[in-house]
Amino acid sequence: MKFIHSPLHSLHDGGKELHRGELVPCYEMPARVDYILSAIARAGWVVEAPGDYDDALLERVHDADYIAFLRGAHEAWRAEGRDGFMLPGAFPARGMRRDRVPAGLHARLGYYAFDAGSPIVEGTWRAARASAHCALAAADAVLAGERGAYALCRPPGHHAGHAMFGGYCFLNNAALAAQRLRDGGLERVAVLDVDYHHGNGTQDIFWERDDVLCMSIHGDPDTEYPFYLGYADERGAGAGEGFNQNYPLPRGTDWAAYAATLDRVLERLAAYAPQALVVSLGVDVFEGDPISQFRLGSDDFPRLGQRIAALGLPTVLVQEGGYAVAEIGDNVAGVLSAFA
């Protein structure tokens, strides 16, 4: 099994987020990776750096103008005489136009963002690009014959859509991995998202496609972020009808209830008979997570890894959420150890 990570993740650091009406330090912080790396080292696994990939590959799932915005956003911010972190102050909500990309920097910032919780700092683009390279390298490892590969991605990615960022995510690492597997010759790929928060960006990217099955287990969007997507009646459109499947669960869900849903999801996933699997691995389903409301214990993460491994599929595991920083390493290692 391959373990892939880039130290450039630490370039995305600083700023604050607007969380449930309060401006607070970001829950998504570089220390998350430090704890995961420590757990990987204790397990005796060796971490490799990804190679470099052309930015054109990012446009396989993201809009080119959106990529150009991310690449130059903070430089444009500094050109206005500003420093520090960028957060949007307005969004094109109901009744406003979305068919035209505004020229001004502040307008474009709100146009491409869907929340005020994902600050852009000077190093965000380089960190997000390196994170995407980790996912692409993990997909390449699986295409080359590895049974499994783990991409320690930071920033995470599953909230980033075709042309939008939010939820700490700027480039959709899981979608890039799935697309890389497709471009490598696999006809059927599945994405399983087990993060507490619905992977709205992955859903957006594959909404009208029938070559990537997207399945997500997450907190009920009636009360949980990202709120406006993730309901069970969202099934895809056009050719993608039926290829998007959401399984929202209520606050307080414990392992017994979670496992019952997981087993049903994995049964349906196996029936699809994908040639490879991408897992959006969020461990914020942990009972001690500060921004999530499930009640899985640390002992439950190996059970999750065992069930994924039992599918017998070539698998790319992409790191997403998990904000109980002191426990994140052990919880991630619990999944990976059982899988490996």
Side-chain angles (χ1 to χ4, degrees), residues 24 48 63 176 190 206:
V24 299
E48 303 176 16
D63 175 75
L176 286 163
F206 295 116

Side-chain angles (χ1 to χ4, degrees), residues 27-46:
Y27 287 98
E28 202 291 296
M29 61 185 71
R32 298 172 64 243
V33 167
D34 297 335
Y35 279 91
I36 295 173
L37 288 174
S38 294
I40 287 174
R42 288 195 300 272
W45 297 321
V46 177

Side-chain angles (χ1 to χ4, degrees), residues 35-289:
Y35 279 91
I36 295 173
L37 288 174
S38 294
I40 287 174
R42 288 195 300 272
W45 297 321
V46 177
V47 175
E48 303 176 16
D52 193 52
Y53 292 85
D54 193 280
D55 284 355
L57 292 177
L58 306 178
E59 296 174 20
R60 297 291 292 141
V61 303
H62 290 293
D63 175 75
D65 289 340
Y66 169 67
I67 294 296
F69 168 77
L70 288 179
R71 186 187 296 116
H74 203 269
E75 182 179 355
W77 181 258
R78 294 197 307 275
E80 291 191 353
R82 298 173 178 269
D83 200 2
F85 65 95
M86 303 170 61
L87 282 179
F91 305 90
R94 290 184 300 277
M96 295 184 176
R97 294 182 61 173
R98 291 199 59 87
D99 62 323
R100 177 171 176 164
V101 182
L105 173 62
H106 300 277
R108 282 185 290 134
L109 180 61
Y111 179 86
Y112 287 120
F114 69 86
D115 69 13
S118 307
I120 294 177
V121 300
E122 183 175 0
T124 296
W125 168 249
R126 291 182 64 196
R129 186 175 181 270
S131 184
H133 291 180
C134 291
L136 291 168
D140 281 347
V142 167
L143 286 169
E146 289 285 342
R147 172 177 170 266
Y150 169 65
L152 176 44
C153 292
R154 182 183 174 272
H158 72 148
H159 293 304
H162 175 66
M164 65 180 180
F165 71 92
Y168 313 138
C169 303
F170 302 92
L171 298 173
N172 194 308
N173 305 309
L176 286 163
Q179 185 63 52
R180 187 68 168 176
L181 294 171
R182 285 287 292 113
D183 291 343
L186 303 187
E187 295 181 358
R188 295 182 316 284
V189 175
V191 177
L192 172 64
D193 193 322
V194 296
D195 190 279
Y196 179 77
H197 305 95
H198 174 247
N200 59 291
T202 310
Q203 174 172 302
D204 172 60
I205 289 167
F206 295 116
W207 183 249
E208 296 184 355
R209 291 177 51 171
D210 62 359
D211 58 338
V212 178
L213 173 67
C214 296
M215 311 185 79
S216 179
I217 308 171
H218 50 266
D220 189 337
D222 267 342
T223 59
E224 306 308 308
Y225 185 91
F227 304 117
Y228 310 112
L229 283 177
Y231 293 94
D233 62 353
E234 297 160 14
R235 302 276 297 168
E241 174 69 33
F243 287 86
N244 189 86
Q245 300 179 18
N246 290 326
Y247 300 83
L249 296 173
R251 289 184 170 206
T253 293
D254 60 9
W255 172 253
Y258 187 91
T261 298
L262 176 64
D263 289 344
R264 187 166 79 253
V265 169
L266 295 180
E267 182 178 350
R268 293 181 179 180
L269 192 156
Y272 174 65
Q275 294 162 289
L277 174 66
V278 177
V279 178
S280 274
L281 180 59
V283 294
D284 46 0
V285 292
F286 175 57
E287 60 189 353
D289 197 275

Side-chain angles (χ1 to χ4, degrees), residues 1-4 35-37 39-41 43 45-47 147-153 279-283 298 300-309 315-319 328-340:
M1 184 171 176
K2 294 279 189 178
F3 298 82
I4 301 167
Y35 279 91
I36 295 173
L37 288 174
I40 287 174
W45 297 321
V46 177
V47 175
R147 172 177 170 266
Y150 169 65
L152 176 44
C153 292
V279 178
S280 274
L281 180 59
V283 294
S298 291
D300 296 321
F301 290 101
R303 299 183 180 104
L304 175 60
Q306 289 165 0
R307 280 166 164 79
I308 295 171
T315 302
V316 177
L317 299 110
V318 177
Q319 187 62 49
I328 189 174
D330 290 338
N331 291 340
V332 169
V335 176
L336 298 179
S337 295
F339 179 88

